[in-house]
Amino acid sequence: MINTIINNIRDLLISSDYKAVYSAFDSIPYYSKRNEISTYIGLPEFETRNPVYALNTIFIPFSAVAEISVNAPADSSAEKLFAFFTGYIIPRLNNSDYHIYDVKKITLKPDTNLKKLVLKCDFRISGIFRKENPSS
């Protein structure tokens, strides 16, 4: 389920003009990724609720904390990073199937190890997984 959520968010953020979107848990070496603006998606918290059984389907409600990190070269401006986040990332997230609410934290800080400027946003999401009921 966690991979599904991350992949769904990743698919929302990828476009013909912007493909530098990765799972925070992927195995692609960092040095082989672009040096431009890149986005990483993680899910540090995840929980499910009691499933609801229908005739042929099981519905599993969930809630999670999603973490989106947008990395830019260290010489980028904070304004450029915020403009990208609010002009590109937020509108696409608002078109997702998940209910997005309760922004927990937004931070902007330099990562001296990677020589990047990092904008990180943690927010709560909720939704429902739908699974075919094998017992019917």
Side-chain angles (χ1 to χ4, degrees), residues 1 29 62 67 101:
M1 284 190 222
F62 73 89
E67 180 181 87
Y101 60 97

PDB file of all heavy atoms in Angstrom, residues 1 29 62 67 101:
ATOM      1  N   MET A   1       0.819  -1.199   0.000  1.00  0.00           N
ATOM      2  CA  MET A   1       0.000   0.000   0.000  1.00  0.00           C
ATOM      3  C   MET A   1       0.864   1.264   0.000  1.00  0.00           C
ATOM      4  O   MET A   1       0.521   2.220  -0.669  1.00  0.00           O
ATOM      5  CB  MET A   1      -0.934   0.004   1.206  1.00  0.00           C
ATOM      6  CG  MET A   1      -2.111  -0.925   1.082  1.00  0.00           C
ATOM      7  SD  MET A   1      -3.284  -0.623   2.419  1.00  0.00           S
ATOM      8  CE  MET A   1      -3.697  -2.275   2.845  1.00  0.00           C
ATOM      9  N   PRO A  29      21.253   5.719  -7.557  1.00  0.00           N
ATOM     10  CA  PRO A  29      22.285   6.517  -6.878  1.00  0.00           C
ATOM     11  C   PRO A  29      22.053   8.011  -7.065  1.00  0.00           C
ATOM     12  O   PRO A  29      21.696   8.460  -8.151  1.00  0.00           O
ATOM     13  CB  PRO A  29      23.591   6.086  -7.566  1.00  0.00           C
ATOM     14  CG  PRO A  29      23.266   4.828  -8.276  1.00  0.00           C
ATOM     15  CD  PRO A  29      21.801   4.834  -8.561  1.00  0.00           C
ATOM     16  N   PHE A  62      -7.391   4.586   4.940  1.00  0.00           N
ATOM     17  CA  PHE A  62      -6.053   4.805   5.476  1.00  0.00           C
ATOM     18  C   PHE A  62      -5.818   6.291   5.694  1.00  0.00           C
ATOM     19  O   PHE A  62      -6.515   7.143   5.154  1.00  0.00           O
ATOM     20  CB  PHE A  62      -4.975   4.257   4.531  1.00  0.00           C
ATOM     21  CG  PHE A  62      -4.787   5.086   3.300  1.00  0.00           C
ATOM     22  CD1 PHE A  62      -3.888   6.149   3.279  1.00  0.00           C
ATOM     23  CD2 PHE A  62      -5.515   4.820   2.158  1.00  0.00           C
ATOM     24  CE1 PHE A  62      -3.720   6.919   2.144  1.00  0.00           C
ATOM     25  CE2 PHE A  62      -5.354   5.589   1.031  1.00  0.00           C
ATOM     26  CZ  PHE A  62      -4.459   6.644   1.016  1.00  0.00           C
ATOM     27  N   GLU A  67       5.658  13.141   2.757  1.00  0.00           N
ATOM     28  CA  GLU A  67       6.744  14.105   2.828  1.00  0.00           C
ATOM     29  C   GLU A  67       7.238  14.351   1.403  1.00  0.00           C
ATOM     30  O   GLU A  67       7.650  13.416   0.724  1.00  0.00           O
ATOM     31  CB  GLU A  67       7.868  13.547   3.688  1.00  0.00           C
ATOM     32  CG  GLU A  67       9.053  14.457   3.842  1.00  0.00           C
ATOM     33  CD  GLU A  67      10.125  13.817   4.700  1.00  0.00           C
ATOM     34  OE1 GLU A  67      10.954  13.082   4.132  1.00  0.00           O
ATOM     35  OE2 GLU A  67      10.098  14.032   5.925  1.00  0.00           O
ATOM     36  N   TYR A 101      -4.812  17.285   3.673  1.00  0.00           N
ATOM     37  CA  TYR A 101      -5.171  18.264   4.693  1.00  0.00           C
ATOM     38  C   TYR A 101      -4.061  18.367   5.721  1.00  0.00           C
ATOM     39  O   TYR A 101      -3.131  17.575   5.721  1.00  0.00           O
ATOM     40  CB  TYR A 101      -6.490  17.897   5.371  1.00  0.00           C
ATOM     41  CG  TYR A 101      -6.462  16.557   6.071  1.00  0.00           C
ATOM     42  CD1 TYR A 101      -6.228  16.472   7.428  1.00  0.00           C
ATOM     43  CD2 TYR A 101      -6.670  15.374   5.374  1.00  0.00           C
ATOM     44  CE1 TYR A 101      -6.198  15.250   8.073  1.00  0.00           C
ATOM     45  CE2 TYR A 101      -6.635  14.146   6.020  1.00  0.00           C
ATOM     46  CZ  TYR A 101      -6.398  14.098   7.362  1.00  0.00           C
ATOM     47  OH  TYR A 101      -6.360  12.890   8.008  1.00  0.00           O
TER      48      TYR A 101
END
